[in-house]
Amino acid sequence: MGFRTGMKVLVKQLGEAIIVKLTGDGALVKLVSPAGLTIKQSYDNIAAIDEENDIPEMSPPVRAAVDMDKFQQVKALEALRFGLVPESHLEFLTVGYQDMAGWIGNCLPARKCRIHEICGPFGTGKSHTMALVRQIALDQGYLAAKIEIDGKSNNFSAPQRLLYNIWLSLEGKDLSIEMPLLDVYLKAMQNGYDSIPKPLKDLDYFPENFDFIRKLKTSQQIEGLAHLLEECLAGSENVSATQVKADLAMETNLKRAQINFKPMVAKGARDKFIMFIMSLAGHAVLAKAAGYKGLVITIDEFEAHRMLSASDRAKARELISVLEHYVSQDFRIPPAPLAIFIGAVSQDGHKGDPWVENLVDSGGGKQYFLNPWSDAQKEQLANSIYTLYQSTYQIAASYDQGLIDKTQMLLESRDQTDLVRAFIKYYMAVLDNEYGPGRSRSSGN
């Protein structure tokens, strides 16, 4: 059975859920319990429920706040076992939080695009810092989205696909999870915009699409077309202008000549580079009209571009060049409240990646360099992790410095002493070995 939006499914180890969005490698699902919790799952982890033989749907039980807290704590510890700092506990588990938060706050956009770099040797916490960027941006009223470069499906040589995958992750306060881009348009209309904001009136796509969505909203025809509109706005490569126009004509009883809505999909190679910037900048302007402060994008693992073929590296470099023109205001796309944070490993004797450093310099962006962690920083992090571990599993034993020594010995035996992610993983393994995850233990056991 094929999956579809709105379908009831069973998620391994988590129970019943509803599919809210299909992605390239999985689906975004909303769990029945804990009520409303939304997570991404691979297709291998979900199975459709036969609704004909299913029991009548009942309202899900509402868990007490303490149960939800416990669920979040267990989930956080599972992330730590993989060496990842959970987004639910970022501030609590961030060493040097105030310094990082101050730098991030100064980099958030106001009127025009800035590109910033978070860099350092491998394993110094770039992904953690990128998560902190998004959390602070969301807390301060921005929309936020993310992508990780993988050298395969997500990279600068394929800007249309990269753009679509960025939009799949878009989030913001009170923003629709299922149809976030469409919701930005609708929120702008609710704020009194009867036509596209002035900075975008001379751009392709935006004025006509905004006007068509407004007409559908006025005629109360949005709901049945929301998924199709979202896919078109996000630039899905699976939609065609001809088919979209036919589908819209059939669903609205409008003549094709009356439909001026176009999927944001470019055809030519150069046009795809332009579309990448135009979509990010244009939707950042719309975000402001919708009541948000702007748009913040994090692009992590940039160093994966080193694995590309020579031809794809040339394409990626061309997108960098187009971005350089935009941030230096040598471009026809208007300024926008947009910030792009790029995470990269130090390369060729540079603090960061040479491509990214040039891009940052072109628009007056900033660079944040992450040094290898000191023993004092690791101990501070270990103390915080233990506090969470102790609270979750109700362990009576007090913090034990000797467990850090065991962790350091493991790291030294594997030549990974400078890697923060490895420190977290091995420290969690040492804690599990000492206390047993999920079992109440006292210091006397």
Side-chain angles (χ1 to χ4, degrees):
M1 178 185 291
F3 295 113
R4 65 181 185 277
T5 302
M7 175 182 281
K8 289 182 67 176
V9 294
L10 191 65
V11 183
K12 288 182 181 178
Q13 300 183 335
L14 296 176
E16 291 187 16
I18 302 293
I19 294 179
V20 296
K21 180 182 287 187
L22 299 176
T23 67
D25 57 352
L28 198 65
V29 300
K30 182 180 292 185
L31 297 179
V32 171
S33 180
L37 183 65
T38 302
I39 57 174
K40 184 176 178 182
Q41 290 288 299
S42 69
Y43 289 123
D44 292 339
N45 281 350
I46 60 177
I49 294 176
D50 185 352
E51 296 188 19
E52 293 183 1
N53 299 322
D54 196 18
I55 59 173
E57 187 170 344
M58 301 177 64
S59 299
V62 179
R63 293 191 174 193
V66 66
D67 290 333
M68 177 58 82
D69 289 345
K70 183 66 69 175
F71 179 86
Q72 292 290 358
Q73 288 177 342
V74 171
K75 185 179 175 184
L77 290 174
E78 284 303 313
L80 289 166
R81 288 187 174 94
F82 287 96
L84 306 174
V85 176
E87 295 192 11
S88 60
H89 291 69
L90 273 175
E91 182 174 351
F92 177 68
L93 294 171
T94 297
V95 177
Y97 174 83
Q98 292 301 326
D99 178 53
M100 286 186 185
W103 182 85
I104 293 166
N106 289 331
C107 292
L108 295 178
R111 295 182 180 85
K112 57 185 179 180
C113 179
R114 290 283 186 267
I115 297 179
H116 312 287
E117 183 181 30
I118 294 169
C119 55
F122 179 76
T124 48
K126 289 178 290 299
S127 297
H128 175 182
T129 308
M130 299 293 252
L132 198 60
V133 167
R134 295 190 298 275
Q135 183 188 74
I136 290 173
L138 291 168
D139 289 345
Q140 294 198 19
Y142 291 84
L143 296 183
K146 63 181 178 180
I147 198 73
E148 288 186 6
I149 302 301
D150 59 12
K152 297 176 183 177
S153 59
N154 289 328
N155 62 75
F156 277 39
S157 72
Q160 190 78 52
R161 190 179 310 121
L162 183 67
L163 181 66
Y164 177 71
N165 287 329
I166 286 173
W167 291 135
L168 286 178
S169 70
L170 185 64
E171 58 181 330
K173 184 179 181 181
D174 298 325
L175 189 70
S176 167
I177 295 172
E178 297 90 344
M179 312 294 166
L181 278 180
L182 178 59
D183 199 27
V184 171
Y185 285 75
L186 297 176
K187 279 181 164 55
M189 294 170 195
Q190 291 169 3
N191 282 349
Y193 283 86
D194 292 327
S195 60
I196 199 74
K198 188 176 179 180
L200 305 180
K201 67 182 182 63
D202 294 326
L203 283 186
D204 195 8
Y205 297 92
F206 282 96
E208 294 83 3
N209 286 358
F210 189 96
D211 184 57
F212 187 76
I213 292 170
R214 182 181 57 78
K215 289 178 181 177
L216 291 181
K217 179 178 182 291
T218 302
S219 60
Q220 298 183 343
Q221 297 181 85
I222 285 284
E223 186 173 350
L225 296 168
H227 180 70
L228 175 60
L229 295 173
E230 180 72 20
E231 288 290 286
C232 292
L233 295 173
S236 170
E237 295 176 308
N238 295 324
V239 298
S240 71
T242 302
Q243 187 59 49
V244 166
K245 183 165 284 195
D247 291 344
L248 291 174
M250 181 177 64
E251 294 292 334
T252 62
N253 294 321
L254 293 171
K255 295 180 180 179
R256 294 194 185 193
Q258 296 175 294
I259 298 174
N260 56 1
F261 183 85
K262 294 190 299 184
M264 298 190 72
V265 179
K267 293 184 178 179
R270 178 73 177 179
D271 291 338
K272 290 180 180 180
F273 297 136
I274 303 299
M275 174 62 78
F276 181 84
I277 299 170
M278 183 168 67
S279 182
L280 293 183
H283 287 108
V285 172
L286 271 177
K288 192 74 177 284
Y292 299 96
K293 289 185 177 180
L295 173 64
V296 172
I297 309 290
T298 63
I299 300 176
D300 204 2
E301 311 287 351
F302 185 85
E303 63 276 4
H305 283 102
R306 303 280 168 170
M307 298 186 295
L308 296 179
S309 65
S311 60
D312 281 345
R313 278 173 58 83
K315 293 176 185 176
R317 187 66 187 91
E318 187 171 356
L319 179 55
I320 291 286
S321 177
V322 174
L323 277 168
E324 286 175 350
H325 283 292
Y326 176 61
V327 296
S328 61
Q329 302 180 49
D330 181 23
F331 218 63
R332 64 181 180 86
I333 297 174
L338 169 68
I340 302 174
F341 292 78
I342 300 178
V345 169
S346 304
Q347 300 281 348
D348 304 329
H350 291 253
K351 278 191 170 183
D353 187 286
W355 286 4
V356 180
E357 286 184 341
N358 291 336
L359 184 54
V360 170
D361 291 341
S362 296
K366 301 179 185 294
Q367 185 184 68
Y368 193 94
F369 183 74
L370 295 164
N371 289 295
W373 279 42
S374 66
D375 290 343
Q377 287 175 307
K378 291 176 183 176
E379 183 171 353
Q380 185 178 341
L381 176 60
N383 203 325
S384 297
I385 291 174
Y386 183 73
T387 299
L388 176 62
Y389 195 98
Q390 182 183 43
S391 171
T392 304
Y393 297 136
Q394 300 180 352
I395 296 168
S398 58
Y399 175 73
D400 184 355
Q401 170 69 40
L403 299 183
I404 296 183
D405 297 335
K406 289 182 180 179
T407 303
Q408 290 289 77
M409 289 175 61
L410 285 171
L411 291 169
E412 289 171 5
S413 68
R414 291 161 174 79
D415 195 26
Q416 296 186 25
T417 54
D418 290 334
L419 306 183
V420 177
R421 182 173 294 184
F423 175 81
I424 294 172
K425 288 171 63 175
Y426 283 115
Y427 183 63
M428 284 296 300
V430 168
L431 288 178
D432 287 342
N433 183 64
E434 183 73 17
Y435 302 110
R439 298 200 305 265
S440 296
R441 294 280 299 271
S442 70
S443 57
N445 289 133

